[in-house]
Amino acid sequence: MASTSNSTSSKIITLRSSDGEVFEVEESVALESNLIRRMMEDDCANNIIPLPNVTAPIFYLVIEHCKKHAEMKDNKEKKKELRSQGEELLKSDPHTYSNLMEAVNYLDIKSLMDLTAQWLADFLKGKSPRLIRELLKIKNDFTPEEEAEILERNRWAFD
Amino acid sequence: MEGLDLFSNLPEGCISHIISFTSPRDACRSSAVCSIFRSASESDSVWESFLPPDYPDVLAGSVSPPVRFSSKKELFFRLCDPVLIDDNKMSFSIEKRTGRKCYMLSARKLWITWGDTPRYWKWTSLPESRFPEVAELLGVCWLEISGKIDAHLLSPKTTYKAYLVIKLGEEAYGLDYPAETSIKLGDHASNKIAILQQDGTRRFQSWTALDQLNMWRSSQSVSNRGDGQVPQARSDGWMEIEMGEFFNDEGEEGDIEMSLMEVNGGQWKSGLIVEGIEMRPVCN
């Protein structure tokens, strides 16, 4: 059992990832997730809360970033540091990034949603569509005609 | 690349959220990545975030015909072209790359010394002006034009430059003497020198010793402010001359006061046509 808490005073919530790993998380951290909050309100609080859409490695990442995010409040340096980590993750492992984004979206965690969205937004800035596709392994699903039309309609943005 | 579409499991709203953190330019570029990015980047939520928060107030104050739009993206680009507001006395537009606000105060919204005296200034309409009226200088010695705008109206956390938008009539003269411009906002003041007419001629008089002394004094007093500004061509057929710049923090500092003055040269001036004063964000 993985414990992500070292405090004994606050309430502990038990969660289970899609691959069966069980996590114990402080209530204050768990409640960052609006999904978990809703589930607890629906009286799942005394049971193990299942998270069928999140694997253990991704859930670790989510918890880690929730904690970092809580720490960085009012700390500009840390904020900067956390913001710059996105670029590295997107370059080295876009797959993990998209899994993290999916998990954050599923768990409905506002603070991490903004952080992970900012990562990709920073990454997109100034890059050409071709480079974005190449780096993020996205398939170009436009016909040549469609693509030409989009480029024509948004020509000012490519000057 | 095939079969590895990383973002196909993310809802479109999620991608829109990401794109709203970029810029109008990046959003347009993103639309060419793939079809999911295209529909996400054209969503109203993205363009709503790029529009100035108070755009409904601006639309409510716009002069007819009403601004029509079927999407926020369309509205955004519609507002990149000036819209007349405040009973035709001001225009509003959006700077395309950043979504920040631009305003122009028409000549009717400015204080022009002697402006109400038909011997000195004439109010006329020109087809190439966005405003119904512009001010044409017939002849003055004392040239003074000023205007102000509430800093709240402008985008916060933004560096702006102000420009006097002008034309010179064919018979323009006496406008080559350095004019002083100033911008004031709270404790901040920026002063510059503007040469309205570069190859100017003076009627009825040649350079006198007094002229030269005044020129020299003027150049001494401004030597720290860099070279004089000269009119630059605009894409709308007018010319503009920079009056100075200011940083609008939270818009809490009251009015921005802008002025251009040429009262030291002593010569008669004529032929200046004033459309207004424009404030535009400085793009990095």
Side-chain angles (χ1 to χ4, degrees):
Chain A
M1 185 178 283
S3 173
T4 54
S5 162
N6 46 23
S7 160
T8 50
S9 58
S10 80
K11 199 177 164 190
I12 300 296
I13 308 292
T14 312
L15 304 152
R16 189 175 56 233
S17 65
S18 64
D19 42 358
E21 197 162 328
V22 174
F23 292 80
E24 287 189 330
V25 181
E26 270 179 61
E27 187 180 37
S28 62
V29 176
L31 287 181
E32 288 275 306
S33 157
N34 287 320
L35 178 81
I36 295 174
R37 182 187 294 270
R38 283 193 297 271
M39 288 171 116
M40 287 177 65
E41 281 164 6
D42 292 347
D43 205 24
C44 301
N46 295 321
N47 305 315
I48 295 179
I49 299 179
L51 301 172
N53 288 356
V54 188
T55 61
I58 295 299
F59 195 65
Y60 269 119
L61 264 184
V62 170
I63 297 292
E64 191 190 320
H65 280 96
C66 268
K67 286 185 168 171
K68 277 189 189 165
H69 197 268
E71 278 170 31
M72 79 176 191
K73 270 184 188 151
D74 307 321
N75 187 333
K76 273 193 178 163
E77 280 303 306
K78 280 212 165 147
K79 248 183 196 168
K80 248 188 179 168
E81 197 186 303
L82 204 52
R83 189 168 165 175
S84 67
Q85 286 172 4
E87 177 93 21
E88 289 159 37
L89 177 62
L90 274 156
K91 269 193 182 145
S92 63
D93 192 355
H95 197 70
T96 296
Y97 170 82
S98 77
N99 286 338
L100 177 62
M101 189 82 198
E102 276 169 39
V104 166
N105 181 54
Y106 166 70
L107 292 167
D108 193 4
I109 306 174
K110 175 82 175 73
S111 57
L112 284 199
M113 192 68 201
D114 285 351
L115 176 70
T116 47
Q118 187 71 61
W119 282 353
L120 184 52
D122 287 346
F123 186 80
L124 294 176
K125 277 178 197 166
K127 290 195 173 71
S128 70
R130 183 195 294 259
L131 187 61
I132 292 168
R133 283 195 293 259
E134 195 182 304
L135 293 172
L136 298 182
K137 302 183 171 57
I138 297 172
K139 194 181 155 211
N140 181 359
D141 58 355
F142 293 126
T143 64
E145 293 77 26
E146 279 177 319
E147 195 173 356
E149 196 235 314
I150 295 167
L151 295 183
E152 176 58 30
R153 228 162 10 102
N154 297 288
R155 198 164 46 179
W156 74 277
F158 295 95
D159 287 343
Chain B
M1 244 186 254
E2 204 78 30
L4 232 181
D5 241 358
L6 286 182
F7 297 97
S8 51
N9 288 333
L10 279 179
E12 189 184 305
C14 205
I15 307 215
S16 293
H17 187 62
I18 292 164
I19 293 173
S20 69
F21 283 1
T22 62
S23 68
R25 190 180 158 90
D26 289 304
C28 286
R29 291 161 78 111
S30 302
S31 67
V33 170
C34 65
S35 55
I36 301 172
F37 271 53
R38 177 179 57 180
S39 50
S41 73
E42 290 184 348
S43 74
D44 276 357
S45 66
V46 167
W47 292 90
E48 178 93 32
S49 76
F50 295 148
L51 283 161
D54 62 344
Y55 78 88
D57 297 338
V58 174
L59 292 182
S62 72
V63 179
S64 56
V67 177
R68 296 187 190 284
F69 55 93
S70 58
S71 69
K72 294 285 161 61
K73 184 178 182 184
E74 191 186 332
L75 175 64
F76 182 92
F77 286 101
R78 170 66 192 85
L79 292 177
C80 289
D81 291 327
V83 176
L84 292 184
I85 56 170
D86 191 22
D87 203 16
N88 286 320
K89 291 197 181 80
M90 281 166 72
S91 76
F92 167 88
S93 59
I94 293 175
E95 200 281 315
K96 208 191 281 183
R97 277 159 202 266
T98 58
R100 292 189 166 139
K101 299 193 267 183
C102 311
Y103 281 96
M104 198 195 297
L105 305 174
S106 75
R108 276 292 186 201
K109 191 83 179 172
L110 305 177
W111 284 265
I112 300 178
T113 305
W114 300 114
D116 292 330
T117 309
R119 265 171 65 204
Y120 299 129
W121 284 88
K122 182 172 127 189
W123 292 90
T124 180
S125 85
L126 289 180
E128 64 268 35
S129 175
R130 63 181 71 177
F131 298 117
E133 282 183 304
V134 296
E136 183 180 350
L137 174 59
L138 300 180
V140 290
C141 277
W142 188 284
L143 176 65
E144 186 178 4
I145 300 168
S146 63
K148 63 179 181 181
I149 186 167
D150 186 343
H152 269 125
L153 290 176
L154 302 177
S155 299
K157 302 277 176 214
T158 302
T159 301
Y160 277 89
K161 280 187 177 177
Y163 302 86
L164 183 69
V165 181
I166 57 164
K167 270 188 181 199
L168 292 175
E170 282 176 18
E171 302 281 307
Y173 60 81
L175 296 161
D176 52 343
Y177 196 88
E180 294 177 29
T181 64
S182 105
I183 308 267
K184 280 188 206 142
L185 171 61
D187 299 333
H188 167 83
S190 145
N191 297 291
K192 284 186 184 289
I193 286 299
I195 317 283
L196 292 165
Q197 189 178 21
Q198 279 173 285
D199 50 354
T201 53
R202 284 162 192 238
R203 227 183 223 187
F204 313 131
Q205 65 187 71
S206 58
W207 293 92
T208 63
L210 183 62
D211 281 335
Q212 288 176 18
L213 180 64
N214 276 334
M215 283 285 267
W216 179 80
R217 275 193 190 137
S218 184
S219 68
Q220 290 301 299
S221 69
V222 301
S223 57
N224 294 331
R225 304 176 202 161
D227 294 332
Q229 302 292 322
V230 293
Q232 308 289 332
R234 291 162 58 95
S235 60
D236 62 2
W238 288 79
M239 309 281 283
E240 64 185 19
I241 192 156
E242 190 190 320
M243 300 173 76
E245 70 173 60
F246 56 93
F247 177 71
N248 188 36
D249 194 11
E250 296 290 349
E252 299 293 340
E253 291 173 285
D255 285 338
I256 296 143
E257 294 172 31
M258 301 158 285
S259 71
L260 177 134
M261 236 172 134
E262 200 290 272
V263 297
N264 294 322
Q267 82 279 28
W268 281 86
K269 296 166 265 286
S270 178
L272 178 69
I273 302 166
V274 177
E275 186 180 41
I277 294 179
E278 185 172 61
M279 288 131 283
R280 291 201 305 265
V282 176
C283 291
N284 300 321

